Structures are given as structure tokens and as C-alpha cells.
């Protein structure tokens, strides 16, 4: 390693005096103190030497031939290179005016002649010290300035990097959503196709689930980035709590059934520790974010439970009950509603309870970890905090976990029920006149998804590849509804909408904007421009139908409700005991192939056995032979 060694620098003092004797005396005094000295015999030479040698101090005689001391000093101070060097006058003049004149031209002090050694030394030392401190201060100020500039630069760089990161994530998400729109769109279209065979349906379900999984990952990563950038804002609207909870429970119940564990949803009275239905109907809150948190916690509970099951309890919390009784005269605060998810699963070790909330942190069994990203809890915790609460957990390894949080969701009483299309029933057509739809999107595959979703139902479709073409076709063919992408070259979606709203001919046309963009501003921009609704990509068929029904007032033709919804709503009707008995024998022998055949025959023989056949197929698909035996046996008991 190289070591820089700088010997301590001697202070340099310039003496300007026309009298050699004076100079000699002073030089002797200063040399004795180990100062380096320079001399000049007149003002002009003094100026040159000062300029050239940059002394630390100047001792300047006043009375000199040529330019005198005062003028020399004035010129020293006028030059930036010498302005900062302190000047001490050497003067035989005793008048106050002369001394003042010395200060006026920039001197810092004076020493009277004949020169006293002690006085000279004291003043020289004092001013060198002041000068050194001044230089040090200047250096510090300079380095502070530099540090500030560097910090500002670093901050600007970090902001630019952050912006670039957000931009990258948004672009990446947009780019991934576009092909996903094709994948998920066609999975939905083919699932709706009556010609699709049951085994193909299984494959389509897997495509759809994998697509949905990918979409969740994209959304999770974006969410984390948004949370880190402090950009997540709550969107509070009124919603129906019981219907909301029921919807979530249905999703989780299906997952639990697949794993053969139980799932209970209970409206719960926490103060009394009893199930009790006392929830408000309408509440005000961020429905989407609350659903995200609950689905994540319930999804985890199911994922990490193999025996027993999951219980979801929701109700007024203890805290609320106490507060309400303590302050009888003041208006009661918004009641706290507790959301609690209990499972009998693998549990979490105490030392890992904090880790699981860190992004990408997964603990326990490696196989299970593969099923997730480790982002869910980090997002959930942040969202719950944003909603003004805290996500809590108690857990015991091998016994199970309880996650809960409490929210003050203001009750909404004048609640208007929002329209929802009945998603259980499959829409197969429209009654009455066929509406015309103009689909505007620069990507062929995006147009294809919408066309293949809508044309089998009877919609007349027109296509356009950008806003300009869309506007021309709209003017020519006057469609009933326009579904337009937002980001397009030529004319983008927002501009197209603005043109439509300004056109006397088209201004009342229903416009649905759609985009894979994740920016809320883009969604808002389309609404501000005059769109009737916004649909995110990948497009969900149900939501599209919902919007069309709401804005076009179409009346759907549903598939024979009897045949399709029967699987969900109809009671199970078992076949005659001898058939059940035969199936039981086959199940005991593990002959799944023949059971599958029998199931198909049963469903074809009589529609009422269809749910029974579906249940059988479910066991086969999940390889739950033991469960199937138990289940079949239950129909054989007297
Ligand atoms: P992911 O579920 O995608 O792995 P999360 O952030 O939701 O990510 O969870 C992080 C980790 O916390 C999980 O990998 C798991 O180890 C643990 N964990 C979460 N919920 C539970 C639960 N109900 N029971 C046991 N472990 C859990």
C-alpha cells in the first residue's frame, strides 16, 4: 500500500519594506520562530512576489517610494489570487486616521515602528492562526458543498433508478399480460364450447389455472414494487359484506375440497366466543384489497393444512364491545370487525414468525414452498397496515396457525345493490336484436379473443386495428358498442373516445375501454375521456358480459339451467343399490377405468345421476380411492 506523507508546511511571510535594516530585523525575528520569509523592497515587487508565491501573511510598510503601502494593499485586495492573504501594516504613522485608512484598504492589523519583537510575534501568530482557521473553514464549507452536490446527484440517480424500475415492471407486466390475454381468453372460449370433451375440459382448466397463477405472480411483484415506492392507495367504496365473504368462502371451499380437508365459514361473535350472525350488510372499505388479503391468508391456510381443516371467522371484535360500553354518551366509534383464519396445519416455529412476513421468505417444507412466491404475507401485512390495522399471528408447530386483524369498516345503510350477472349459469346467446360490436385493438390476438367470445352469442363484429380506423368504421357502421384498447399507435384509445363523444352521430355509443396497463391513471384517463366502463386485460368473460348487460341492456339466453347448474344445486341422487354395490366392489379393487366408464353410462342413462357421476369422477381425478370407497359405502348403509 502506498503511503502519502506530507511534511508539515512552514508558514511563508512576505515582508515589503524599502528599508533594508528594518527587513533584516524582522527576518531575524521570524526565522527564529521557524517561519519562511520572502522580501520585497517596493510595492510593485511586493505585488509580483505575493502573486507568484502566495504567502500566508504580508508585512507591509506604508511609506515607500513608488506606490505606497496603502495602494499596494488596495491592489492586493483587488486581485482574486491575493485578496485573501492577510496584510499587517508596518507604520511609523501614529495618527488614528492613518490606522483607519489601513483598515479601509483591507489591512487586518498594524505594528508600529520601531518594531517590538514581542508585539510583532504576537500579532503575526494571531493572524496566521486566524488565517489557518479561515482556510480550514473554507475547506470544510467546500467539502460540505461537494458532499451536498454528491448527495443530490446520488438522490437524483436513485430516483431515476426507481423510476426506471417502476417503468420496467409496468412494461414487463403489460408485455406479459398481453399474451396472457390470449391464453386465458381462449381457455375461457374453449371451456364454453359445447363440443369440448370432459377430458379436454380438464386440460383447459389446467391452462386456465396456470395462467391465473402467472397473473397472480405478475400482480404480486407489481404490488411489492408499488408498496416499496409508497404508491399503493386505498380505493374505498360501499360493498355488501356477507355476499363478499360468501364469494371468498366459495373459492376457498373448492380448494379445501380438492385437498379433502374441511372448510368452515362462520359469522362469529368474538366477545361471546360463539358463532352468531350479526354482521353489517353494507360496509365502506377497499373491497379489492381486502379480498386480496383474505384470499392470501385463507389460501395459505389451505395450502399448509393436510389434516383437519380451515375455519374462517368474521364478526365484531371484543375491543369494539368494550369501547361501546365505556363511552355511552359519545357516538360509538366505527365497530371493529375481526377477520380470523384458523387452520390445523403444519404451523410455524416461533423463531420464524417474523421471517415469514419478509418478501420472498418461505419457511418449512421445500415442496410446499414451490407452490408460492413468498410475497403474499409481505403484501398482506402492508395492506392491512394501510387499512389502519395490524396483521397478527399465533402459531404452534405441528398444531396449526391463527392469523387475524381487525378493521373499522363504517356501516353503510342506504345501500344500493350492485348488479351482478348470475355467473353460475352459462350464457349461450342474446334475446332480440343482435347488437353490433366494434373491436378496436392493434393486436390481432386480442381482437380474436373478443370476437370468439362474442360472435358465438350472436353479436355482429366489426374490427379495427387502431383508433383512426376505429373512428372511420364507427362513423360508417354505427355499432351499438365499441370495445377499444387504450395504447395504440396512430390514434390511441382515449383520443378515439374523445372523438366519439364529440361526434353528434356517435356520441351516445357505449364504449368499453380495455388495457393491459397497470397504471391507474390510464384507467382513469379512459373514463375521463368518456368511456362507460373499463375492463383490465386479461379480459374475464363474466365481467365483459356484466358490462354489456349493464350498458346495452341485453337480455341473455342461458343454457338450460336444469342441465348445467344441476351439478352445483341439485341434490345427489344415487343409482340403485346394486349399481352402487358394483361400483363399491370396483373401487375396492382399484379399477378406476371401469368406474369412469360406469360414471359416463350413468350420466347418459339419466340426467339426475349426473351429479353422482361428477362426484365419482372427482374422486378418480384426485386418486382418492379410499375416500371413494367410504363415500360409496355410505349409500349402501340401511
Ligand atoms: P407463499 O405462500 O407464496 O410461500 P407467503 O408470503 O404467503 O408466501 O408465506 C410465506 C411463508 O409463510 C410460507 O412459505 C410458509 O412457510 C409460511 N406460512 C404462511 N401461512 C402459513 C400457514 N397458514 N401455516 C403455516 N405456514 C404458513
Amino acid at each position: 500500500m502506498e503511503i502519502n506523507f506530507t511534511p508539515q508546511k512552514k508558514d511563508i511571510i512576505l515582508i515589503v519594506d524599502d528599508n533594508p535594516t528594518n527587513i533584516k530585523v524582522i527576518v531575524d525575528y521570524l526565522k527564529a520562530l521557524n517561519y519562511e520569509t520572502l522580501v520585497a523592497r517596493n510595492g510593485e515587487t511586493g505585488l509580483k512576489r505575493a502573486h507568484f508565491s502566495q504567502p500566508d501573511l504580508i508585512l507591509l510598510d506604508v511609506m515607500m517610494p513608488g506606490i505606497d503601502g496603502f495602494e499596494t494593499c488596495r491592489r492586493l485586495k483587488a486581485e482574486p489570487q491575493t485578496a485573501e492573504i492577510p496584510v499587517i501594516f508596518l507604520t511609523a504613522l501614529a495618527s488614528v486616521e492613518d490606522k483607519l485608512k489601513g483598515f479601509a484598504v483591507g489591512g487586518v492589523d498594524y505594528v508600529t515602528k520601531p518594531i517590538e519583537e514581542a508585539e510583532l510575534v504576537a500579532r503575526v501568530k494571531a493572524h496566521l492562526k486566524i488565517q489557518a482557521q479561515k482556510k480550514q473553514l473554507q475547506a470544510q464549507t467546500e467539502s460540505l458543498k461537494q458532499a451536498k452536490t454528491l448527495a443530490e446527484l446520488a438522490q437524483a440517480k436513485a430516483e431515476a433508478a426507481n423510476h426506471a424500475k417502476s417503468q420496467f415492471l409496468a412494461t414487463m407486466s403489460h408485455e406479459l399480460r398481453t399474451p396472457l390475454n390470449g391464453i386465458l381468453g381462449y381457455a375461457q372460449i374453449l371451456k364454453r364450447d359445447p363440443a369440448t370433451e370432459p377430458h379436454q375440459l380438464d386440460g383447459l382448466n389446467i391452462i386456465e389455472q396456470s395462467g391465473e397463477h402467472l397473473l397472480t405472480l405478475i400482480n404480486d411483484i407489481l404490488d411489492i414494487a408499488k408498496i416499496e415506492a409508497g404508491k399503493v392507495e386505498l380505493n374505498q367504496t360501499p360493498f355488501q359484506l356477507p355476499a363478499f365473504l360468501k364469494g371468498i368462502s366459495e373459492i376457498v371451499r373448492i380448494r379445501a375440497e380438492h385437498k379433502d380437508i374441511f372448510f368452515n365459514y362462520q359469522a362469529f361473535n368474538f366477545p361471546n366466543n360463539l358463532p352468531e350472525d350479526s354482521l353489517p350488510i353494507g360496509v365502506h372499505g377497499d373491497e379489492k384489497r381486502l379480498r386480496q388479503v383474505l384470499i392470501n391468508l385463507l389460501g395459505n391456510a389451505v395450502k399448509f393444512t393436510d389434516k383437519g381443516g380451515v375455519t374462517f371467522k368474521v364478526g365484531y371484535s371484543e375491543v369494539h364491545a368494550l369501547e361501546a360500553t365505556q363511552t355511552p354518551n359519545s357516538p360509538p366509534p366505527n365497530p371493529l370487525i375481526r377477520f380470523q383464519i384458523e387452520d390445523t396445519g403444519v404451523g410455524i416455529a416461533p423463531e420464524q414468525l417474523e421471517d415469514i412476513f419478509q418478501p420472498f421468505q418461505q419457511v418449512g417444507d421445500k415442496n410446499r414452498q414451490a407452490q408460492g412466491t413468498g410475497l403474499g404475507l409481505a403484501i398482506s401485512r402492508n395492506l392491512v397496515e394501510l387499512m389502519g390495522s395490524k396483521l397478527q399471528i399465533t402459531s404452534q408447530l405441528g398444531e396449526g396457525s391463527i392469523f387475524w386483524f381487525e378493521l373499522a369498516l363504517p356501516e353503510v345503510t342506504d345501500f344500493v345493490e350492485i348488479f351482478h350477472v348470475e355467473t353460475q349459469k352459462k350464457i349461450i346467446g342474446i334475446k332480440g336484436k343482435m347488437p353490433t360490436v366494434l373491436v378496436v385493438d392493434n393486436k390481432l390476438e386480442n381482437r380474436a379473443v373478443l370476437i370468439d367470445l362474442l360472435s358465438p352469442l350472436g353479436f355482429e363484429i366489426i374490427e379495427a386495428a387502431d383508433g383512426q380506423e376505429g373512428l372511420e368504421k364507427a362513423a360508417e357502421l354505427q355499432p351499438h358498442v365499441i370495445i377499444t384498447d387504450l395504447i395504440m399507435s396512430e390514434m390511441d384509445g382515449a383520443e378515439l373516445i374523445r372523438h366519439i363523444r364529440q361526434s353528434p352521430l356517435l356520441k351516445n355509443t357505449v364504449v368499453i375501454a380495455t388495457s393491459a396497463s397497470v397504471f391507474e391513471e390510464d384507467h382513469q384517463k379512459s373514463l375521463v375521456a368518456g368511456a362507460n366502463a373499463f375492463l383490465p386485460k386479461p379480459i374475464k368473460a363474466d365481467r365483459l358480459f356484466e358490462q354489456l348487460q349493464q350498458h346495452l341492456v341485453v337480455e341473455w339466453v342461458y343454457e338450460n339451467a336444469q342441465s348445467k347448474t344441476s351439478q352445483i344445486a341439485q341434490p345427489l341422487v344415487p343409482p340403485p343399490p346394486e349399481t352402487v354395490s358394483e361400483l363399491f366392489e370396483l373401487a375396492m379393487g382399484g379399477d378406476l377405468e371401469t368406474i369412469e366408464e360406469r360414471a359416463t353410462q350413468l350420466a347418459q342413462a339419466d340426467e339426475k345421476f349426473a351429479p353422482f357421476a361428477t362426484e365419482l369422477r372427482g374422486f378418480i381425478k384426485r386418486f382418492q380411492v379410499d375416500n371413494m370407497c367410504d363415500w360409496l359405502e355410505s349409500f349402501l348403509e340401511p
Side-chain angles (χ1 to χ4, degrees):
M1 201 174 82
E2 195 186 333
I3 296 172
N4 284 325
F5 176 72
T6 324
Q8 203 159 17
K9 189 183 148 283
K10 280 186 187 176
D11 283 318
I12 305 168
I13 300 171
L14 169 66
I15 304 137
V16 189
D17 199 321
D18 60 329
N19 183 330
T21 321
N22 275 348
I23 289 179
K24 186 170 180 327
V25 171
I26 296 171
V27 167
D28 286 348
Y29 289 158
L30 296 177
K31 282 239 162 101
L33 289 165
N34 212 19
Y35 291 121
E36 200 174 316
T37 53
L38 299 171
V39 295
R41 297 283 300 277
N42 55 51
E44 282 91 348
T45 321
L47 284 171
K48 277 185 203 144
R49 299 217 80 171
H51 194 92
F52 186 75
S53 309
Q54 295 287 308
D56 298 288
L57 183 83
I58 300 173
L59 295 172
L60 183 58
D61 187 21
V62 176
M63 306 287 278
M64 288 184 294
I67 56 169
D68 70 1
F70 293 137
E71 178 56 20
T72 310
C73 186
R74 202 189 55 71
R75 292 192 194 176
L76 281 169
K77 296 294 153 190
E79 280 296 317
Q81 289 93 331
T82 50
E84 296 300 320
I85 306 169
V87 175
I88 299 177
F89 284 109
L90 306 170
T91 174
L93 302 170
S95 83
V96 175
E97 266 159 57
D98 283 323
K99 287 174 190 164
L100 286 179
K101 193 169 175 197
F103 287 119
V105 292
V108 290
D109 208 348
Y110 59 89
V111 177
T112 40
K113 289 181 186 170
I115 288 162
E116 279 288 331
E117 181 180 5
E119 186 190 351
L120 176 81
V121 168
R123 290 190 194 270
V124 164
K125 272 189 177 169
H127 286 287
L128 279 174
K129 196 170 167 192
I130 292 171
Q131 182 66 359
Q133 284 170 344
K134 205 169 142 191
K135 277 190 182 159
Q136 203 182 355
L137 207 65
Q138 272 170 348
Q140 279 172 353
T141 313
E142 196 48 44
S143 71
L144 271 177
K145 258 195 216 159
Q146 272 175 12
K148 189 167 167 255
T149 317
L150 282 178
E152 279 168 358
L153 261 171
Q155 193 187 354
K157 257 193 188 166
E159 272 167 19
N162 225 340
H163 183 73
K165 183 176 119 190
S166 304
Q167 200 61 38
F168 168 76
L169 282 171
T171 314
M172 183 196 75
S173 146
H174 181 272
E175 293 308 305
L176 289 173
R177 261 166 227 267
T178 308
L180 263 182
N181 189 43
I183 295 169
L184 286 173
Y186 273 100
Q188 292 176 88
I189 291 162
L190 292 172
K191 273 177 72 180
R192 298 171 53 77
D193 189 338
T196 302
E197 299 282 336
H199 72 277
Q200 291 172 323
L201 211 56
D202 289 344
L204 287 170
N205 279 332
I206 292 172
I207 295 177
E208 194 176 38
Q209 281 160 18
S210 309
E212 294 286 353
H213 185 77
L214 195 52
L215 194 59
T216 314
L217 290 185
I218 299 168
N219 289 339
D220 276 1
I221 291 170
L222 265 179
D223 266 348
I224 279 286
K226 272 200 207 162
I227 287 169
E228 279 178 356
K231 279 193 187 149
V232 173
E233 277 172 24
L234 293 180
N235 179 18
Q236 318 251 19
T237 52
F239 65 96
Q240 278 197 356
L241 190 60
F244 165 81
L245 294 170
K246 198 164 158 259
I248 290 175
S249 300
E250 284 312 313
I251 297 172
V252 181
R253 187 186 307 284
I254 294 168
R255 291 192 200 170
E257 274 170 8
H258 272 286
K259 281 195 76 180
D260 214 17
I261 56 172
F262 71 76
F263 173 73
N264 284 331
Y265 158 55
Q266 296 174 351
F268 203 77
N269 184 328
F270 284 98
N272 297 338
N273 205 23
L274 285 173
E276 185 186 285
D277 204 350
S278 64
L279 283 174
I281 304 291
V283 292
H284 203 264
D286 191 328
E287 184 183 358
K288 189 175 136 210
R289 293 301 188 180
L290 183 56
R291 179 182 292 111
Q292 187 179 357
V293 172
L294 289 173
I295 293 267
N296 177 249
L297 296 177
L298 287 161
N300 276 350
V302 171
K303 188 159 80 180
F304 294 102
T305 303
D306 297 326
K307 279 199 301 283
V310 175
T311 307
F312 180 29
K313 294 176 177 169
V314 185
Y316 290 118
S317 77
E318 238 166 52
V319 181
H320 159 241
L322 280 177
E323 274 177 5
T325 50
Q326 274 167 6
T327 53
N329 293 328
S330 55
N334 285 320
L336 283 179
I337 296 172
R338 180 159 169 157
F339 298 82
Q340 183 157 306
I341 295 104
E342 305 178 355
D343 69 56
T344 57
V346 294
I348 300 153
E351 67 275 13
Q352 289 174 325
L353 279 181
E354 197 34 49
D355 293 349
I356 57 168
F357 292 103
Q358 299 306 317
F360 299 108
Q361 274 291 335
Q362 297 179 307
V363 299
D365 183 5
K366 287 270 176 283
N367 279 338
R368 275 181 227 269
Q369 292 181 7
Q371 300 168 20
T373 54
L375 289 171
L377 282 181
I379 295 172
S380 297
R381 168 142 94 176
N382 276 294
L383 290 178
V384 169
E385 276 170 17
L386 208 64
M387 294 187 225
S389 182
K390 192 169 170 4
L391 181 54
Q392 320 236 41
I393 172 174
T394 56
S395 186
Q396 208 151 6
L397 208 53
E399 302 273 309
S401 315
I402 304 178
F403 286 80
W404 80 94
F405 57 95
E406 293 168 337
L407 294 184
L409 295 174
E411 192 167 347
V412 180
T413 43
D414 54 343
F415 193 77
V416 185
E417 196 174 326
I418 301 162
F419 178 77
H420 280 292
V421 163
E422 219 183 307
T423 47
Q424 300 286 21
K425 289 197 229 159
K426 182 175 155 188
I427 295 167
I428 53 167
I430 324 161
K431 283 186 191 149
K433 199 170 165 286
M434 299 303 162
T436 314
V437 184
L438 169 62
V439 177
V440 190
D441 198 312
N442 56 346
K443 289 219 164 62
L444 178 77
E445 55 273 33
N446 287 339
R447 296 201 301 272
V449 166
L450 283 168
I451 293 164
D452 286 341
L453 258 177
L454 295 175
S455 54
L457 303 180
F459 285 89
E460 303 260 355
I461 313 279
I462 315 160
E463 289 180 64
D466 63 56
Q468 188 58 43
E469 191 189 345
L471 191 61
E472 284 158 18
K473 291 210 168 152
E476 186 190 344
L477 302 161
Q478 294 174 36
H480 297 95
V481 54
I482 299 171
I483 303 176
T484 178
D485 185 28
L486 287 180
I487 302 162
M488 290 179 292
S489 53
E490 288 302 310
M491 184 191 287
D492 71 10
E495 204 181 332
L496 169 65
I497 300 169
R498 268 191 294 278
H499 278 286
I500 285 167
R501 291 294 172 245
Q502 281 159 12
S503 150
L505 187 70
L506 300 169
K507 64 172 189 252
N508 294 324
T509 315
V510 174
V511 181
I512 298 173
T514 150
S515 177
S517 162
V518 289
F519 294 118
E520 189 58 32
E521 307 98 86
D522 285 338
H523 308 178
Q524 290 306 326
K525 237 197 284 176
S526 67
L527 297 177
V528 169
N532 298 74
F534 175 83
L535 282 181
K537 278 183 193 159
I539 289 192
K540 295 251 186 225
D542 291 341
R543 291 192 57 191
L544 173 65
F545 298 155
E546 215 171 273
Q547 292 301 336
L548 288 172
Q549 171 151 8
Q550 201 174 340
H551 296 289
L552 277 184
V553 203
V554 290
E555 206 180 325
W556 301 115
V557 178
Y558 292 99
E559 187 180 53
N560 184 353
Q562 273 279 304
S563 65
K564 202 69 183 182
T565 55
S566 60
Q567 292 179 9
I568 301 151
Q570 259 191 19
L572 268 183
V573 179
E578 56 275 20
T579 314
V580 179
S581 177
E582 189 205 347
L583 287 167
F584 177 68
E585 293 303 324
L586 288 169
M588 292 294 280
D591 188 352
L592 300 184
E593 213 170 305
T594 314
I595 298 176
E596 174 104 52
E597 278 170 26
R598 292 284 186 282
T600 312
Q601 287 161 1
L602 266 176
Q604 282 168 354
D606 192 333
E607 206 174 300
K608 72 176 184 217
F609 297 136
F612 186 89
T614 306
E615 203 67 34
L616 270 180
R617 284 202 202 95
F619 285 120
I620 296 171
K621 198 160 63 184
R622 302 192 293 270
F623 296 107
Q624 292 170 334
V625 182
D626 286 350
N627 289 0
M628 177 159 52
C629 291
D630 293 346
W631 182 72
L632 286 167
E633 207 175 9
S634 72
F635 295 103
L636 290 172
E637 279 163 14

